[in-house]
């Protein structure tokens, strides 16, 4: 088996560290591993299996000899360095937004549109592959089997997003501001636009004042635009309202999906979702011994805390809208650092290099 | 000016205490004040202006001589005792769900359907008036001016609800579980169906297993049913997805509202909302000296923490859905203990007794 020489840009961030963990967990056949981060991380090391690997800063020539570089350092770094990785002969899997909506760049969720990915071992030329926004990935994983079986007419999603989406600084700001709030004091925000302790903030990313955004924040625009691109449904109406809530990790989404052809029963749509790649369906009253949904029992559904550290996109609370037989509601939860970022990135690499992960 | 003899059932709960504060703030002309609570509160007193008033338990005859009784002690207590208050000659303003959907009982939000309330001073017979669900009240206050000016075609709402909706025990459970979570431990839930610290729970109230609920939880059914009743729009499609988030007080709602006749500009819909009774509009970039929305600046919107302790229903992030010119999105926030419960109850009383509150 060919070993893959891997670079990780942003190796000391929470996504970069998660990527290293998942490389180990899934026994990706890593040859050489090079770690990169900004000058703030100079002198740091990160453990990979039994090695302590020093973190380097980016410089000309650092990608020479690599087969794959995973980028998770923000749009500017990716815009500058991902093309250099490709020029050096590596596939660049880019977790930033820099290339996602570039019509010449693939935006990949392997379960959904992985058929578009090239085969590196068959001699395909290195390219940049964009890793979608975290909230988008879990949404399209849940929508894909419905699109295939029933057709999609429209989608509305309200999100409940964790602070880990803003990285380690986001986690630290929630911890610090919560500690202070428990003492009855308030901490001025730095990472988030308002103090996040015990509050919800209806803004993720920024607004572009002047009207180009039509009142949507950038996270909402990402979900709306990227979902259409990944599902190859450029005219699908997708409407998003994104909100940061004071939770640690994993994003949750309340979704209304209107189908072209609605199934007549909940069992039918749940069965479709349960068979969807990457999905773990949680029926409201649990599953019986044969795996089928039970008709009563204690209510079950995924939450952000239970999904944290897990790989699946959890789908729960599937039920039909009372007002429209073709509209279904569901609650979609997944770990934004794993399936929403690092895991999806590694799954792209597995497909590029035709690698079967450890079960 | 006639003095009103007032009873408060559930006087030691967070809604009851808020009701007492608001009675003072608005200088309601209280004659005698009698406080009631369960046996757990025996021996307690509550301060009102400069008096210490002992808390009594409910018994036959306790309502004699009262003009108004506010109930906030749960469905069973209201079902049993509100009719007794009426029989004793008092108007019963009931914050429970016991009578809300009874077709013979008014479900009142004074700004919206207060025209239906009788006039006590003109000799109207005492009756039970139901105070709506907290999440419903703020929603209908925001929808009412849009209904009047543009007509409503459908409504979808995803909620972000604070723990104070579950009373003092809910607040204590969030504080206690958060303190423990900051130490890396977990506290088993008691009030909520899951541990609420740093997590969102897509269940408020209960599910009725067996299918009568169609997969909606009771809070969702309340919003859907009560909104239609209050807006006198029995066939309006309202679809709700309710979620408890780890915030202290005030509920927030991401709302999609589809209008019969859409305004052509955001200014037009914002102007309609700004003039709506009980609404405080927050344009995204703030208001200029003339009160009109600015075109750019730092993003502004209400949050649960800022709305806590305030009276208005705050409406922010008003913008048009990209996919449907008749659909608008907005973020509606209000204090669930005040406008969502105690304040609305007192506003009902003010209208019944023709009392102008202190400005």
């Amino acid at each position: 088996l060919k070993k893959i020489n891997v670079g990780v840009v942003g190796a000391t961030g929470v996504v970069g560290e998660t990527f290293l963990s998942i490389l180990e967990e899934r026994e990706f056949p890593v040859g050489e591993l090079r770690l990169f981060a900004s000058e703030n991380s100079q002198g740091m090391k990160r453990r990979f299996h039994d090695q302590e690997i020093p973190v380097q800063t980016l410089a000309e020539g650092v990608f020479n000899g690599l087969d794959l570089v995973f980028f998770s350092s923000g749009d500017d770094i990716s815009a500058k360095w991902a093309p250099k990785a490709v020029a050096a002969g590596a596939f660049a899997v880019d977790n930033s937004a820099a290339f996602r909506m570039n019509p010449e760049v693939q935006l990949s969720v392997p379960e959904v549109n992985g058929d578009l990915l090239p085969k590196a071992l068959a001699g395909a030329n290195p390219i940049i592959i964009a890793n979608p926004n975290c909230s988008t990935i879990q949404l399209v994983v849940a929508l894909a089997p419905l699109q295939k079986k029933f057709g999609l007419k429209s989608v509305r999603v309200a999100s409940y997003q964790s602070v880990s989406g803003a990285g380690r600084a986001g986690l630290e700001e929630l911890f610090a501001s919560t500690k202070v709030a428990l003492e009855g004091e308030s901490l001025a925000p730095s990472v988030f636009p308002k103090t996040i302790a015990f509050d919800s903030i209806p803004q993720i990313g920024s607004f572009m004042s002047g009207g180009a955004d039509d009142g949507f924040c950038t996270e909402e625009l990402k979900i709306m635009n990227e979902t259409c691109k990944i599902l190859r449904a450029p005219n699908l109406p997708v409407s998003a309202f994104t909100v940061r809530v004071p939770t640690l990790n994993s994003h949750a989404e309340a979704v209304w999906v209107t189908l072209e052809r609605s199934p007549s029963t909940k069992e039918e749509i749940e069965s479709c979702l349960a068979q969807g790649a990457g999905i773990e369906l949680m029926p409201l009253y649990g599953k019986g011994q044969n795996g089928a949904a039970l008709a009563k029992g204690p209510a079950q559904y995924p939450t952000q805390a239970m999904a944290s550290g897990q790989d699946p996109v959890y789908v729960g609370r599937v039920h039909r809208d009372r007002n429209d037989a073709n509209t279904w509601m569901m609650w979609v939860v997944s770990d934004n650092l794993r399936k929403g970022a690092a895991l999806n990135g590694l799954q792209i690499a597995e497909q590029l290099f035709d690698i079967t992960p450890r079960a």
Side-chain angles (χ1 to χ4, degrees), chain A residues 270 281-287 291-294 298-301 315-317:
Chain A
E270 285 194 327
L281 178 77
M282 291 184 72
L284 188 58
Y285 300 120
K287 289 178 193 168
L294 298 175
Q300 296 183 29
Y301 36 74
V315 180
R317 292 216 53 204

Side-chain angles (χ1 to χ4, degrees), chain A residues 20 23 50 103 113 126 140 148 160 194 241 246 265 302 332 336 338 341 356:
Chain A
L20 294 178
L23 277 176
D50 53 355
N113 64 350
V140 297
K148 193 168 179 190
Y160 302 70
K194 307 260 180 194
F241 204 121
T265 66
V332 178
N336 52 298
R338 294 181 70 91
T356 305

Side-chain angles (χ1 to χ4, degrees), chain A residues 127-166:
Chain A
I127 53 173
I128 296 169
I129 314 280
N131 207 37
N133 172 267
C134 44
S135 313
T136 308
I137 293 176
Q138 66 185 64
L139 180 64
V140 297
V141 167
L143 292 175
L146 302 179
Q147 179 188 36
K148 193 168 179 190
K149 184 151 188 185
F150 306 111
L152 300 180
K153 202 163 171 186
S154 69
V155 178
R156 287 185 188 167
V157 53
S159 75
Y160 302 70
Q161 297 187 226
S162 287
V163 298
S164 68

Side-chain angles (χ1 to χ4, degrees), chain A residues 172-308:
Chain A
E172 285 169 357
E173 188 157 306
L174 176 58
F175 282 130
S177 62
T178 302
K179 278 177 191 164
V180 164
L182 286 170
E183 306 296 325
E185 303 291 327
S186 179
L187 197 70
S190 155
V191 174
F192 300 110
K194 307 260 180 194
T195 300
I196 187 66
F198 300 123
D199 206 4
S200 305
I201 304 173
Q203 173 183 358
I204 300 182
S206 57
F207 296 94
M208 292 166 282
S209 75
D213 55 355
D214 299 329
F216 289 93
C217 61
T218 46
E219 183 80 357
E220 292 160 351
L221 296 171
K222 288 175 185 176
I223 294 175
M224 289 155 54
N225 295 333
E226 294 178 18
T227 297
C228 292
K229 178 167 177 175
I230 298 163
L231 293 177
R232 290 171 262 197
N235 300 316
L236 177 68
V238 180
S239 178
F241 204 121
T242 61
V243 180
R244 186 81 67 189
V245 292
T247 57
L248 299 173
N249 190 39
S250 299
H251 295 338
E253 296 172 335
V255 180
W256 283 262
V257 53
T258 303
L259 304 173
E260 291 284 359
R261 303 171 297 281
S262 184
S264 51
T265 66
K266 181 158 92 169
E267 290 63 37
E268 209 179 329
I269 194 169
E270 285 194 327
S271 161
C272 171
L273 285 162
Q275 291 166 46
I279 294 176
E280 175 76 29
L281 178 77
M282 291 184 72
L284 188 58
Y285 300 120
K287 289 178 193 168
Q289 284 194 311
N290 60 0
L294 298 175
K296 55 173 66 182
Q300 296 183 29
Y301 36 74
T303 72
Q304 290 157 292
M306 69 75 79
S308 185

